[in-house]
PDB file of all heavy atoms in Angstrom:
ATOM      1  N   PHE A 425     -13.332  79.120 127.615  1.00 68.00           N
ATOM      2  CA  PHE A 425     -14.272  80.126 128.127  1.00 68.00           C
ATOM      3  C   PHE A 425     -15.474  79.446 128.777  1.00 68.00           C
ATOM      4  O   PHE A 425     -15.883  79.811 129.871  1.00 68.00           O
ATOM      5  CB  PHE A 425     -14.727  81.028 126.981  1.00 68.00           C
ATOM      6  CG  PHE A 425     -15.823  81.990 127.359  1.00 68.00           C
ATOM      7  CD1 PHE A 425     -15.515  83.201 127.960  1.00 68.00           C
ATOM      8  CD2 PHE A 425     -17.151  81.681 127.115  1.00 68.00           C
ATOM      9  CE1 PHE A 425     -16.522  84.088 128.318  1.00 68.00           C
ATOM     10  CE2 PHE A 425     -18.161  82.560 127.466  1.00 68.00           C
ATOM     11  CZ  PHE A 425     -17.842  83.763 128.063  1.00 68.00           C
ATOM     12  N   MET A 426     -16.041  78.438 128.094  1.00 66.00           N
ATOM     13  CA  MET A 426     -17.195  77.724 128.619  1.00 66.00           C
ATOM     14  C   MET A 426     -16.849  77.049 129.942  1.00 66.00           C
ATOM     15  O   MET A 426     -17.633  77.067 130.885  1.00 66.00           O
ATOM     16  CB  MET A 426     -17.672  76.673 127.611  1.00 66.00           C
ATOM     17  CG  MET A 426     -18.088  77.259 126.279  1.00 66.00           C
ATOM     18  SD  MET A 426     -19.537  78.309 126.399  1.00 66.00           S
ATOM     19  CE  MET A 426     -20.626  77.512 125.261  1.00 66.00           C
ATOM     20  N   SER A 427     -15.645  76.466 130.001  1.00 65.00           N
ATOM     21  CA  SER A 427     -15.218  75.798 131.220  1.00 65.00           C
ATOM     22  C   SER A 427     -15.103  76.777 132.383  1.00 65.00           C
ATOM     23  O   SER A 427     -15.539  76.500 133.508  1.00 65.00           O
ATOM     24  CB  SER A 427     -13.871  75.102 130.983  1.00 65.00           C
ATOM     25  OG  SER A 427     -13.388  74.502 132.156  1.00 65.00           O
ATOM     26  N   GLU A 428     -14.519  77.949 132.100  1.00 65.00           N
ATOM     27  CA  GLU A 428     -14.364  78.970 133.134  1.00 65.00           C
ATOM     28  C   GLU A 428     -15.715  79.468 133.625  1.00 65.00           C
ATOM     29  O   GLU A 428     -15.937  79.646 134.830  1.00 65.00           O
ATOM     30  CB  GLU A 428     -13.541  80.140 132.591  1.00 65.00           C
ATOM     31  CG  GLU A 428     -12.076  79.802 132.370  1.00 65.00           C
ATOM     32  CD  GLU A 428     -11.340  80.863 131.569  1.00 65.00           C
ATOM     33  OE1 GLU A 428     -12.018  81.768 131.049  1.00 65.00           O
ATOM     34  OE2 GLU A 428     -10.115  80.763 131.451  1.00 65.00           O
ATOM     35  N   GLN A 429     -16.630  79.684 132.681  1.00 63.00           N
ATOM     36  CA  GLN A 429     -17.949  80.181 133.043  1.00 63.00           C
ATOM     37  C   GLN A 429     -18.722  79.156 133.875  1.00 63.00           C
ATOM     38  O   GLN A 429     -19.412  79.507 134.836  1.00 63.00           O
ATOM     39  CB  GLN A 429     -18.741  80.552 131.789  1.00 63.00           C
ATOM     40  CG  GLN A 429     -18.221  81.762 131.049  1.00 63.00           C
ATOM     41  CD  GLN A 429     -18.426  83.040 131.842  1.00 63.00           C
ATOM     42  OE1 GLN A 429     -19.418  83.200 132.532  1.00 63.00           O
ATOM     43  NE2 GLN A 429     -17.481  83.942 131.762  1.00 63.00           N
ATOM     44  N   LYS A 430     -18.609  77.895 133.489  1.00 61.00           N
ATOM     45  CA  LYS A 430     -19.307  76.845 134.241  1.00 61.00           C
ATOM     46  C   LYS A 430     -18.765  76.743 135.659  1.00 61.00           C
ATOM     47  O   LYS A 430     -19.509  76.523 136.610  1.00 61.00           O
ATOM     48  CB  LYS A 430     -19.163  75.506 133.509  1.00 61.00           C
ATOM     49  CG  LYS A 430     -20.029  75.419 132.254  1.00 61.00           C
ATOM     50  CD  LYS A 430     -19.826  74.102 131.531  1.00 61.00           C
ATOM     51  CE  LYS A 430     -20.702  74.043 130.274  1.00 61.00           C
ATOM     52  NZ  LYS A 430     -20.480  72.786 129.518  1.00 61.00           N
ATOM     53  N   LEU A 431     -17.437  76.898 135.792  1.00 54.00           N
ATOM     54  CA  LEU A 431     -16.832  76.880 137.118  1.00 54.00           C
ATOM     55  C   LEU A 431     -17.352  78.039 137.957  1.00 54.00           C
ATOM     56  O   LEU A 431     -17.708  77.878 139.127  1.00 54.00           O
ATOM     57  CB  LEU A 431     -15.304  76.947 137.015  1.00 54.00           C
ATOM     58  CG  LEU A 431     -14.536  77.089 138.339  1.00 54.00           C
ATOM     59  CD1 LEU A 431     -14.847  75.923 139.269  1.00 54.00           C
ATOM     60  CD2 LEU A 431     -13.035  77.178 138.077  1.00 54.00           C
ATOM     61  N   ASN A 432     -17.412  79.208 137.331  1.00 61.00           N
ATOM     62  CA  ASN A 432     -17.912  80.385 138.042  1.00 61.00           C
ATOM     63  C   ASN A 432     -19.369  80.203 138.460  1.00 61.00           C
ATOM     64  O   ASN A 432     -19.769  80.535 139.573  1.00 61.00           O
ATOM     65  CB  ASN A 432     -17.769  81.618 137.151  1.00 61.00           C
ATOM     66  CG  ASN A 432     -18.073  82.910 137.900  1.00 61.00           C
ATOM     67  OD1 ASN A 432     -17.568  83.132 138.989  1.00 61.00           O
ATOM     68  ND2 ASN A 432     -18.903  83.744 137.305  1.00 61.00           N
ATOM     69  N   ASP A 433     -20.188  79.638 137.558  1.00 58.00           N
ATOM     70  CA  ASP A 433     -21.593  79.382 137.876  1.00 58.00           C
ATOM     71  C   ASP A 433     -21.729  78.394 139.028  1.00 58.00           C
ATOM     72  O   ASP A 433     -22.590  78.545 139.897  1.00 58.00           O
ATOM     73  CB  ASP A 433     -22.329  78.846 136.642  1.00 58.00           C
ATOM     74  CG  ASP A 433     -22.521  79.913 135.579  1.00 58.00           C
ATOM     75  OD1 ASP A 433     -22.347  81.099 135.901  1.00 58.00           O
ATOM     76  OD2 ASP A 433     -22.819  79.550 134.429  1.00 58.00           O
ATOM     77  N   GLU A 434     -20.876  77.366 139.015  1.00 55.00           N
ATOM     78  CA  GLU A 434     -20.919  76.361 140.069  1.00 55.00           C
ATOM     79  C   GLU A 434     -20.551  76.962 141.420  1.00 55.00           C
ATOM     80  O   GLU A 434     -21.174  76.671 142.453  1.00 55.00           O
ATOM     81  CB  GLU A 434     -19.967  75.207 139.727  1.00 55.00           C
ATOM     82  CG  GLU A 434     -19.921  74.097 140.769  1.00 55.00           C
ATOM     83  CD  GLU A 434     -21.264  73.408 140.957  1.00 55.00           C
ATOM     84  OE1 GLU A 434     -22.097  73.438 140.023  1.00 55.00           O
ATOM     85  OE2 GLU A 434     -21.477  72.841 142.044  1.00 55.00           O
ATOM     86  N   LEU A 435     -19.546  77.829 141.421  1.00 51.00           N
ATOM     87  CA  LEU A 435     -19.148  78.503 142.656  1.00 51.00           C
ATOM     88  C   LEU A 435     -20.283  79.375 143.192  1.00 51.00           C
ATOM     89  O   LEU A 435     -20.529  79.425 144.399  1.00 51.00           O
ATOM     90  CB  LEU A 435     -17.899  79.364 142.407  1.00 51.00           C
ATOM     91  CG  LEU A 435     -16.598  78.592 142.160  1.00 51.00           C
ATOM     92  CD1 LEU A 435     -15.499  79.553 141.710  1.00 51.00           C
ATOM     93  CD2 LEU A 435     -16.155  77.851 143.403  1.00 51.00           C
ATOM     94  N   GLN A 436     -20.978  80.065 142.283  1.00 54.00           N
ATOM     95  CA  GLN A 436     -22.098  80.904 142.709  1.00 54.00           C
ATOM     96  C   GLN A 436     -23.240  80.059 143.252  1.00 54.00           C
ATOM     97  O   GLN A 436     -23.888  80.433 144.224  1.00 54.00           O
ATOM     98  CB  GLN A 436     -22.578  81.772 141.543  1.00 54.00           C
ATOM     99  CG  GLN A 436     -21.622  82.880 141.173  1.00 54.00           C
ATOM    100  CD  GLN A 436     -22.193  83.822 140.133  1.00 54.00           C
ATOM    101  OE1 GLN A 436     -23.280  83.591 139.612  1.00 54.00           O
ATOM    102  NE2 GLN A 436     -21.461  84.860 139.820  1.00 54.00           N
ATOM    103  N   ARG A 437     -23.492  78.893 142.628  1.00 55.00           N
ATOM    104  CA  ARG A 437     -24.555  78.013 143.121  1.00 55.00           C
ATOM    105  C   ARG A 437     -24.236  77.502 144.527  1.00 55.00           C
ATOM    106  O   ARG A 437     -25.108  77.414 145.384  1.00 55.00           O
ATOM    107  CB  ARG A 437     -24.754  76.831 142.163  1.00 55.00           C
ATOM    108  CG  ARG A 437     -25.610  77.166 140.951  1.00 55.00           C
ATOM    109  CD  ARG A 437     -26.063  75.912 140.240  1.00 55.00           C
ATOM    110  NE  ARG A 437     -24.963  75.195 139.641  1.00 55.00           N
ATOM    111  CZ  ARG A 437     -24.516  75.402 138.407  1.00 55.00           C
ATOM    112  NH1 ARG A 437     -25.092  76.336 137.657  1.00 55.00           N
ATOM    113  NH2 ARG A 437     -23.519  74.712 137.921  1.00 55.00           N
ATOM    114  N   LYS A 438     -22.951  77.161 144.732  1.00 53.00           N
ATOM    115  CA  LYS A 438     -22.537  76.691 146.053  1.00 53.00           C
ATOM    116  C   LYS A 438     -22.724  77.787 147.096  1.00 53.00           C
ATOM    117  O   LYS A 438     -23.171  77.537 148.213  1.00 53.00           O
ATOM    118  CB  LYS A 438     -21.071  76.253 146.019  1.00 53.00           C
ATOM    119  CG  LYS A 438     -20.843  74.934 145.311  1.00 53.00           C
ATOM    120  CD  LYS A 438     -19.368  74.558 145.345  1.00 53.00           C
ATOM    121  CE  LYS A 438     -19.131  73.222 144.655  1.00 53.00           C
ATOM    122  NZ  LYS A 438     -17.682  72.863 144.656  1.00 53.00           N
ATOM    123  N   GLU A 439     -22.368  79.003 146.699  1.00 53.00           N
ATOM    124  CA  GLU A 439     -22.493  80.124 147.632  1.00 53.00           C
ATOM    125  C   GLU A 439     -23.955  80.364 147.978  1.00 53.00           C
ATOM    126  O   GLU A 439     -24.312  80.575 149.142  1.00 53.00           O
ATOM    127  CB  GLU A 439     -21.875  81.378 147.028  1.00 53.00           C
ATOM    128  CG  GLU A 439     -21.872  82.559 147.987  1.00 53.00           C
ATOM    129  CD  GLU A 439     -21.416  83.837 147.320  1.00 53.00           C
ATOM    130  OE1 GLU A 439     -21.369  83.866 146.082  1.00 53.00           O
ATOM    131  OE2 GLU A 439     -21.134  84.795 148.047  1.00 53.00           O
ATOM    132  N   ARG A 440     -24.831  80.330 146.962  1.00 51.00           N
ATOM    133  CA  ARG A 440     -26.254  80.565 147.215  1.00 51.00           C
ATOM    134  C   ARG A 440     -26.859  79.441 148.051  1.00 51.00           C
ATOM    135  O   ARG A 440     -27.728  79.678 148.895  1.00 51.00           O
ATOM    136  CB  ARG A 440     -26.998  80.710 145.881  1.00 51.00           C
ATOM    137  CG  ARG A 440     -26.619  81.992 145.137  1.00 51.00           C
ATOM    138  CD  ARG A 440     -27.256  82.055 143.761  1.00 51.00           C
ATOM    139  NE  ARG A 440     -26.698  83.168 142.999  1.00 51.00           N
ATOM    140  CZ  ARG A 440     -27.000  83.428 141.742  1.00 51.00           C
ATOM    141  NH1 ARG A 440     -27.850  82.648 141.096  1.00 51.00           N
ATOM    142  NH2 ARG A 440     -26.456  84.446 141.110  1.00 51.00           N
ATOM    143  N   ALA A 441     -26.395  78.204 147.829  1.00 51.00           N
ATOM    144  CA  ALA A 441     -26.881  77.067 148.617  1.00 51.00           C
ATOM    145  C   ALA A 441     -26.499  77.244 150.083  1.00 51.00           C
ATOM    146  O   ALA A 441     -27.281  76.950 150.993  1.00 51.00           O
ATOM    147  CB  ALA A 441     -26.311  75.765 148.077  1.00 51.00           C
TER     148      ALA A 441
END
Side-chain angles (χ1 to χ4, degrees):
F425 173 84
M426 300 294 237
S427 177
E428 290 168 351
Q429 291 292 324
K430 286 178 180 178
L431 174 59
N432 189 48
D433 289 345
E434 180 62 24
L435 290 171
Q436 289 187 355
R437 279 194 293 271
K438 286 181 179 179
E439 184 187 14
R440 291 174 190 176

